Every structure is written in C-alpha cells, then in structure tokens.
Amino acid sequence: MQYEPLSLMRTAQFKHDSGKIRTVVLASPDIDAEVFAKQMSVFPRSDRKFYVLISDNDKALAVSRKIAGGVDRVGDEPGDLLAELGVTVIDLSKVDDTSSLNHTKFADSPEVVQLIGQRMNEGDSFDDSSRRNVFRSVPAAVDIVVDQSPGVF
C-alpha cells in the first residue's frame, strides 16, 4: 500500500514542475502517515497546495490501521500534526455522515467541497488572513487547520 502514494507523489511532482497540477485534495486518505510525512519533503514548503480532509471517527481507516499492524493513517491523524507538514487540513470529525463507516463525510458537506473549489480557482489557500470571511460559508462542525510556522521541510 505504501507504493501507491509514493508513485502518486512522484507523478504529482513531475506534473507540478510542468504547471499542470496546482492543487492536490486528499479525502480520508488511507496512506501511512509516516510515509506521507517523508513524501511531503519532496515539495518545497511554499509549493505545498495540499488539502487533506480528515476525521478521527472514520471506521474504515480504523480497520485499515489494524490491518496495517497499527500504523497510523493520514486520514485520522490529528490536524495540527498534519498542518505542521505545510498542508491545509479540513477536519470533518464533527460532521454527521449518512454512511455507517464515517468515511464519506466530505460528500455529506457540499459547502466544504464548494469552498475548496472556490479557493483552488482563486489560487488561494486558507492561510491568507485578508480572506478570513470565506469561513462564513463553512459549517460550524468543520475545523480548518493551517500551520502558520515556516516549518522544517
């Protein structure tokens, strides 16, 4: 399972250099959290246009973690830890899900999907303090975590 994300990242890096991919959105990613952290170092921090949608009550990721021998999955990592990697984290833990697995919360929150699309189209991220008014359209149950530090990577 670790080879798929690595392959995706290498492809994204190639296309990023050519300007074809500007933003990557990962919804409930079933990726080894440690491998993901290492892979993020490939991208200069200023070029990390990644949105990661997470939920700490995603039952599908809990099963995956067990199958992987207890290895943490990106989709259920704490938002502040992921934000330290330079990604924008959208925590959907408090959003109600119509499925019993809580793995498709992003689909049950069209406001979040629309907001991400809007921010991507405008070429912005959520860390632009002059645009904080965009948060008015986000449901109260959704937390957005952005790391404000310059970071190591």
Side-chain angles (χ1 to χ4, degrees), residues 7-153:
S7 174
L8 171 66
M9 294 302 209
R10 284 188 180 149
T11 301
Q13 176 64 29
F14 172 77
K15 289 187 177 180
H16 170 73
D17 289 343
S18 70
K20 292 182 182 175
I21 292 181
R22 294 184 319 208
T23 307
V24 175
V25 178
L26 301 172
S28 304
D30 186 4
I31 302 170
D32 179 317
E34 195 172 305
V35 170
F36 180 72
K38 289 177 185 173
Q39 292 171 346
M40 288 306 298
S41 66
V42 171
F43 298 93
R45 191 170 187 84
S46 61
D47 291 342
R48 293 186 191 164
K49 306 283 193 241
F50 284 80
Y51 292 88
V52 181
L53 285 64
I54 65 169
S55 177
D56 64 9
N57 56 3
D58 186 321
K59 294 173 187 169
L61 292 177
V63 169
S64 179
R65 186 182 332 100
K66 276 188 178 181
I67 292 171
V71 175
D72 291 332
R73 314 318 288 165
V74 172
D76 63 3
E77 279 287 275
D80 55 341
L81 293 179
L82 291 172
E84 288 176 8
L85 299 174
V87 302
T88 299
V89 179
I90 301 176
D91 188 347
L92 303 174
S93 296
K94 298 175 189 169
V95 172
D96 289 331
D97 189 2
T98 57
S99 80
S100 60
L101 296 177
N102 291 329
H103 191 64
T104 59
K105 289 185 175 197
F106 60 92
D108 287 337
S109 187
E111 301 91 348
V112 172
V113 174
Q114 290 171 353
L115 181 63
I116 292 170
Q118 175 190 359
R119 304 311 301 164
M120 288 169 47
N121 285 335
E122 293 176 8
D124 292 337
S125 66
F126 291 100
D127 59 356
D128 184 354
S129 59
S130 67
R131 297 185 185 256
R132 290 293 180 193
N133 62 349
V134 300
F135 292 114
R136 282 186 273 164
S137 62
V138 176
V142 176
D143 293 322
I144 299 177
V145 184
V146 179
D147 183 37
Q148 298 297 324
S149 67
V152 180
F153 297 107

